[in-house]
Amino acid sequence: MAKFLNTTATNYFLEEIIKDAKDRLVLISPYLKLNDRIKELLADKDRLKIDIRIIYGKNELHPSEISWLNELSYVRTSFCKNLHAKCYLNENKCIITSMNLYEFSQINNNEMGILLDKNDDKDAYGEAYEEVLRIIRISEEVRISLERVDQTEAENEESDESSGKVTSSKIAQKHKLKTQDFIDKMIELGFLTIKDNKPHLTDLGKSHGGEFKYSSRFGPYFIWPENLEF
């Protein structure tokens, strides 16, 4: 029988769904951001060679999280345009909820959810599973790169070279630097600052021609004058 979940129960059963996965685990959340507990649970499932699919609509991962995620052999990530569903499923149980993945453990939120059991709620679980498969089919499997810093694909698409401005990665390549080294240099010079573990453009950076850009698929990044001196 379907079980109603409040915020505390949603957090508890989401963790249980991840812990109890024996064959497959699917996490569908518009916002992709992982706290330490989720990372710990996913790493354990990866060691057990569990098939893990993460479907997201917006990537808010920090570069260190992206590097960590790419080290997991059995985790596949897919981008789904216009994703608003939040659903967490293993081979036996499924949660359909208002809670985004990044809100896990934030017990001050007011969330609701429904827990379905494959044995007790066979039809509802089956329909949810079919919808999960459909979302996977319409999603584009991607290997997450350092979009927050490196931006390899997104920046190539979003650079405004007509204005003489290029992305951080292109300037870094020009100076034979890693993109992270260039970002660190911008922080050192005061062109960027770190807030909430993310780089933000400062007024000084703006005065030197830096601009904030946003890709709906890959998230935020920066462009700079091609002849930027630093």
PDB file of all heavy atoms in Angstrom, residues 174-192:
ATOM      1  N   LYS A 174      45.363  29.362 -24.380  1.00  0.00           N
ATOM      2  CA  LYS A 174      46.255  30.329 -25.030  1.00  0.00           C
ATOM      3  C   LYS A 174      47.525  30.532 -24.210  1.00  0.00           C
ATOM      4  O   LYS A 174      48.625  30.689 -24.770  1.00  0.00           O
ATOM      5  CB  LYS A 174      45.518  31.654 -25.218  1.00  0.00           C
ATOM      6  CG  LYS A 174      46.364  32.753 -25.837  1.00  0.00           C
ATOM      7  CD  LYS A 174      45.549  34.043 -25.971  1.00  0.00           C
ATOM      8  CE  LYS A 174      46.395  35.179 -26.535  1.00  0.00           C
ATOM      9  NZ  LYS A 174      45.600  36.439 -26.643  1.00  0.00           N
ATOM     10  N   HIS A 175      47.378  30.525 -22.886  1.00  0.00           N
ATOM     11  CA  HIS A 175      48.519  30.757 -22.001  1.00  0.00           C
ATOM     12  C   HIS A 175      49.109  29.448 -21.462  1.00  0.00           C
ATOM     13  O   HIS A 175      49.911  29.482 -20.521  1.00  0.00           O
ATOM     14  CB  HIS A 175      48.095  31.665 -20.846  1.00  0.00           C
ATOM     15  CG  HIS A 175      47.783  33.063 -21.263  1.00  0.00           C
ATOM     16  ND1 HIS A 175      48.734  34.053 -21.401  1.00  0.00           N
ATOM     17  CD2 HIS A 175      46.603  33.644 -21.623  1.00  0.00           C
ATOM     18  CE1 HIS A 175      48.174  35.178 -21.799  1.00  0.00           C
ATOM     19  NE2 HIS A 175      46.873  34.965 -21.937  1.00  0.00           N
ATOM     20  N   LYS A 176      48.669  28.332 -22.058  1.00  0.00           N
ATOM     21  CA  LYS A 176      49.176  27.008 -21.686  1.00  0.00           C
ATOM     22  C   LYS A 176      48.960  26.733 -20.203  1.00  0.00           C
ATOM     23  O   LYS A 176      49.847  26.240 -19.484  1.00  0.00           O
ATOM     24  CB  LYS A 176      50.658  26.882 -22.052  1.00  0.00           C
ATOM     25  CG  LYS A 176      50.913  27.004 -23.550  1.00  0.00           C
ATOM     26  CD  LYS A 176      52.381  26.834 -23.888  1.00  0.00           C
ATOM     27  CE  LYS A 176      52.603  26.953 -25.399  1.00  0.00           C
ATOM     28  NZ  LYS A 176      54.033  26.786 -25.784  1.00  0.00           N
ATOM     29  N   LEU A 177      47.753  27.062 -19.760  1.00  0.00           N
ATOM     30  CA  LEU A 177      47.354  26.816 -18.380  1.00  0.00           C
ATOM     31  C   LEU A 177      46.186  25.836 -18.348  1.00  0.00           C
ATOM     32  O   LEU A 177      45.451  25.698 -19.323  1.00  0.00           O
ATOM     33  CB  LEU A 177      46.905  28.110 -17.697  1.00  0.00           C
ATOM     34  CG  LEU A 177      47.925  29.224 -17.501  1.00  0.00           C
ATOM     35  CD1 LEU A 177      47.213  30.477 -17.003  1.00  0.00           C
ATOM     36  CD2 LEU A 177      48.999  28.800 -16.515  1.00  0.00           C
ATOM     37  N   LYS A 178      46.028  25.168 -17.235  1.00  0.00           N
ATOM     38  CA  LYS A 178      44.794  24.450 -16.997  1.00  0.00           C
ATOM     39  C   LYS A 178      43.718  25.471 -16.654  1.00  0.00           C
ATOM     40  O   LYS A 178      44.010  26.535 -16.095  1.00  0.00           O
ATOM     41  CB  LYS A 178      44.950  23.461 -15.840  1.00  0.00           C
ATOM     42  CG  LYS A 178      45.913  22.319 -16.140  1.00  0.00           C
ATOM     43  CD  LYS A 178      45.991  21.368 -14.961  1.00  0.00           C
ATOM     44  CE  LYS A 178      46.930  20.212 -15.265  1.00  0.00           C
ATOM     45  NZ  LYS A 178      47.061  19.281 -14.112  1.00  0.00           N
ATOM     46  N   THR A 179      42.478  25.163 -16.996  1.00  0.00           N
ATOM     47  CA  THR A 179      41.406  26.124 -16.742  1.00  0.00           C
ATOM     48  C   THR A 179      41.304  26.456 -15.262  1.00  0.00           C
ATOM     49  O   THR A 179      41.096  27.614 -14.894  1.00  0.00           O
ATOM     50  CB  THR A 179      40.055  25.566 -17.238  1.00  0.00           C
ATOM     51  OG1 THR A 179      40.187  25.191 -18.600  1.00  0.00           O
ATOM     52  CG2 THR A 179      38.963  26.610 -17.111  1.00  0.00           C
ATOM     53  N   GLN A 180      41.465  25.450 -14.394  1.00  0.00           N
ATOM     54  CA  GLN A 180      41.395  25.711 -12.963  1.00  0.00           C
ATOM     55  C   GLN A 180      42.494  26.668 -12.525  1.00  0.00           C
ATOM     56  O   GLN A 180      42.273  27.531 -11.661  1.00  0.00           O
ATOM     57  CB  GLN A 180      41.488  24.406 -12.181  1.00  0.00           C
ATOM     58  CG  GLN A 180      41.346  24.582 -10.667  1.00  0.00           C
ATOM     59  CD  GLN A 180      40.001  25.167 -10.270  1.00  0.00           C
ATOM     60  OE1 GLN A 180      38.965  24.578 -10.539  1.00  0.00           O
ATOM     61  NE2 GLN A 180      40.020  26.329  -9.632  1.00  0.00           N
ATOM     62  N   ASP A 181      43.699  26.554 -13.121  1.00  0.00           N
ATOM     63  CA  ASP A 181      44.784  27.477 -12.783  1.00  0.00           C
ATOM     64  C   ASP A 181      44.427  28.905 -13.188  1.00  0.00           C
ATOM     65  O   ASP A 181      44.743  29.867 -12.474  1.00  0.00           O
ATOM     66  CB  ASP A 181      46.081  27.043 -13.474  1.00  0.00           C
ATOM     67  CG  ASP A 181      46.609  25.725 -12.930  1.00  0.00           C
ATOM     68  OD1 ASP A 181      46.267  25.387 -11.791  1.00  0.00           O
ATOM     69  OD2 ASP A 181      47.349  25.043 -13.664  1.00  0.00           O
ATOM     70  N   PHE A 182      43.757  29.035 -14.360  1.00  0.00           N
ATOM     71  CA  PHE A 182      43.333  30.365 -14.794  1.00  0.00           C
ATOM     72  C   PHE A 182      42.292  30.928 -13.838  1.00  0.00           C
ATOM     73  O   PHE A 182      42.360  32.106 -13.442  1.00  0.00           O
ATOM     74  CB  PHE A 182      42.758  30.305 -16.215  1.00  0.00           C
ATOM     75  CG  PHE A 182      42.113  31.584 -16.661  1.00  0.00           C
ATOM     76  CD1 PHE A 182      42.876  32.672 -17.047  1.00  0.00           C
ATOM     77  CD2 PHE A 182      40.726  31.703 -16.670  1.00  0.00           C
ATOM     78  CE1 PHE A 182      42.280  33.868 -17.437  1.00  0.00           C
ATOM     79  CE2 PHE A 182      40.121  32.888 -17.064  1.00  0.00           C
ATOM     80  CZ  PHE A 182      40.901  33.969 -17.453  1.00  0.00           C
ATOM     81  N   ILE A 183      41.317  30.100 -13.448  1.00  0.00           N
ATOM     82  CA  ILE A 183      40.286  30.545 -12.505  1.00  0.00           C
ATOM     83  C   ILE A 183      40.930  30.972 -11.187  1.00  0.00           C
ATOM     84  O   ILE A 183      40.583  32.007 -10.602  1.00  0.00           O
ATOM     85  CB  ILE A 183      39.254  29.421 -12.262  1.00  0.00           C
ATOM     86  CG1 ILE A 183      38.456  29.135 -13.539  1.00  0.00           C
ATOM     87  CG2 ILE A 183      38.299  29.801 -11.125  1.00  0.00           C
ATOM     88  CD1 ILE A 183      37.590  30.267 -14.017  1.00  0.00           C
ATOM     89  N   ASP A 184      41.882  30.171 -10.703  1.00  0.00           N
ATOM     90  CA  ASP A 184      42.585  30.521  -9.459  1.00  0.00           C
ATOM     91  C   ASP A 184      43.303  31.862  -9.590  1.00  0.00           C
ATOM     92  O   ASP A 184      43.347  32.657  -8.638  1.00  0.00           O
ATOM     93  CB  ASP A 184      43.597  29.429  -9.104  1.00  0.00           C
ATOM     94  CG  ASP A 184      42.929  28.133  -8.660  1.00  0.00           C
ATOM     95  OD1 ASP A 184      41.735  28.175  -8.305  1.00  0.00           O
ATOM     96  OD2 ASP A 184      43.611  27.085  -8.685  1.00  0.00           O
ATOM     97  N   LYS A 185      43.875  32.115 -10.789  1.00  0.00           N
ATOM     98  CA  LYS A 185      44.565  33.388 -11.019  1.00  0.00           C
ATOM     99  C   LYS A 185      43.570  34.544 -10.989  1.00  0.00           C
ATOM    100  O   LYS A 185      43.863  35.611 -10.428  1.00  0.00           O
ATOM    101  CB  LYS A 185      45.288  33.344 -12.375  1.00  0.00           C
ATOM    102  CG  LYS A 185      46.144  34.576 -12.663  1.00  0.00           C
ATOM    103  CD  LYS A 185      47.299  34.692 -11.688  1.00  0.00           C
ATOM    104  CE  LYS A 185      48.193  35.876 -12.023  1.00  0.00           C
ATOM    105  NZ  LYS A 185      49.327  36.010 -11.072  1.00  0.00           N
ATOM    106  N   MET A 186      42.391  34.341 -11.573  1.00  0.00           N
ATOM    107  CA  MET A 186      41.365  35.381 -11.560  1.00  0.00           C
ATOM    108  C   MET A 186      40.906  35.678 -10.128  1.00  0.00           C
ATOM    109  O   MET A 186      40.620  36.826  -9.783  1.00  0.00           O
ATOM    110  CB  MET A 186      40.173  34.949 -12.422  1.00  0.00           C
ATOM    111  CG  MET A 186      40.456  34.825 -13.914  1.00  0.00           C
ATOM    112  SD  MET A 186      41.020  36.378 -14.692  1.00  0.00           S
ATOM    113  CE  MET A 186      42.810  36.147 -14.678  1.00  0.00           C
ATOM    114  N   ILE A 187      40.852  34.641  -9.313  1.00  0.00           N
ATOM    115  CA  ILE A 187      40.488  34.838  -7.903  1.00  0.00           C
ATOM    116  C   ILE A 187      41.590  35.598  -7.180  1.00  0.00           C
ATOM    117  O   ILE A 187      41.332  36.529  -6.406  1.00  0.00           O
ATOM    118  CB  ILE A 187      40.232  33.466  -7.231  1.00  0.00           C
ATOM    119  CG1 ILE A 187      38.994  32.804  -7.848  1.00  0.00           C
ATOM    120  CG2 ILE A 187      40.057  33.632  -5.726  1.00  0.00           C
ATOM    121  CD1 ILE A 187      38.779  31.368  -7.405  1.00  0.00           C
ATOM    122  N   GLU A 188      42.830  35.223  -7.461  1.00  0.00           N
ATOM    123  CA  GLU A 188      43.983  35.892  -6.836  1.00  0.00           C
ATOM    124  C   GLU A 188      44.011  37.378  -7.191  1.00  0.00           C
ATOM    125  O   GLU A 188      44.338  38.225  -6.345  1.00  0.00           O
ATOM    126  CB  GLU A 188      45.271  35.207  -7.302  1.00  0.00           C
ATOM    127  CG  GLU A 188      46.548  35.818  -6.749  1.00  0.00           C
ATOM    128  CD  GLU A 188      47.785  35.164  -7.330  1.00  0.00           C
ATOM    129  OE1 GLU A 188      47.710  33.979  -7.732  1.00  0.00           O
ATOM    130  OE2 GLU A 188      48.837  35.850  -7.396  1.00  0.00           O
ATOM    131  N   LEU A 189      43.662  37.708  -8.433  1.00  0.00           N
ATOM    132  CA  LEU A 189      43.671  39.108  -8.874  1.00  0.00           C
ATOM    133  C   LEU A 189      42.438  39.874  -8.440  1.00  0.00           C
ATOM    134  O   LEU A 189      42.373  41.089  -8.594  1.00  0.00           O
ATOM    135  CB  LEU A 189      43.791  39.160 -10.399  1.00  0.00           C
ATOM    136  CG  LEU A 189      45.116  38.673 -10.998  1.00  0.00           C
ATOM    137  CD1 LEU A 189      45.021  38.630 -12.519  1.00  0.00           C
ATOM    138  CD2 LEU A 189      46.267  39.585 -10.558  1.00  0.00           C
ATOM    139  N   GLY A 190      41.447  39.162  -7.911  1.00  0.00           N
ATOM    140  CA  GLY A 190      40.224  39.824  -7.486  1.00  0.00           C
ATOM    141  C   GLY A 190      39.192  39.976  -8.585  1.00  0.00           C
ATOM    142  O   GLY A 190      38.190  40.670  -8.402  1.00  0.00           O
ATOM    143  N   PHE A 191      39.437  39.350  -9.746  1.00  0.00           N
ATOM    144  CA  PHE A 191      38.452  39.395 -10.834  1.00  0.00           C
ATOM    145  C   PHE A 191      37.267  38.481 -10.536  1.00  0.00           C
ATOM    146  O   PHE A 191      36.152  38.709 -11.006  1.00  0.00           O
ATOM    147  CB  PHE A 191      39.085  38.967 -12.151  1.00  0.00           C
ATOM    148  CG  PHE A 191      40.134  39.925 -12.674  1.00  0.00           C
ATOM    149  CD1 PHE A 191      40.479  41.072 -11.969  1.00  0.00           C
ATOM    150  CD2 PHE A 191      40.786  39.677 -13.867  1.00  0.00           C
ATOM    151  CE1 PHE A 191      41.450  41.953 -12.449  1.00  0.00           C
ATOM    152  CE2 PHE A 191      41.753  40.548 -14.362  1.00  0.00           C
ATOM    153  CZ  PHE A 191      42.089  41.683 -13.642  1.00  0.00           C
ATOM    154  N   LEU A 192      37.532  37.431  -9.779  1.00  0.00           N
ATOM    155  CA  LEU A 192      36.496  36.514  -9.323  1.00  0.00           C
ATOM    156  C   LEU A 192      36.603  36.377  -7.810  1.00  0.00           C
ATOM    157  O   LEU A 192      37.670  36.603  -7.224  1.00  0.00           O
ATOM    158  CB  LEU A 192      36.652  35.126  -9.962  1.00  0.00           C
ATOM    159  CG  LEU A 192      36.488  35.001 -11.473  1.00  0.00           C
ATOM    160  CD1 LEU A 192      36.836  33.583 -11.923  1.00  0.00           C
ATOM    161  CD2 LEU A 192      35.066  35.362 -11.906  1.00  0.00           C
TER     162      LEU A 192
END
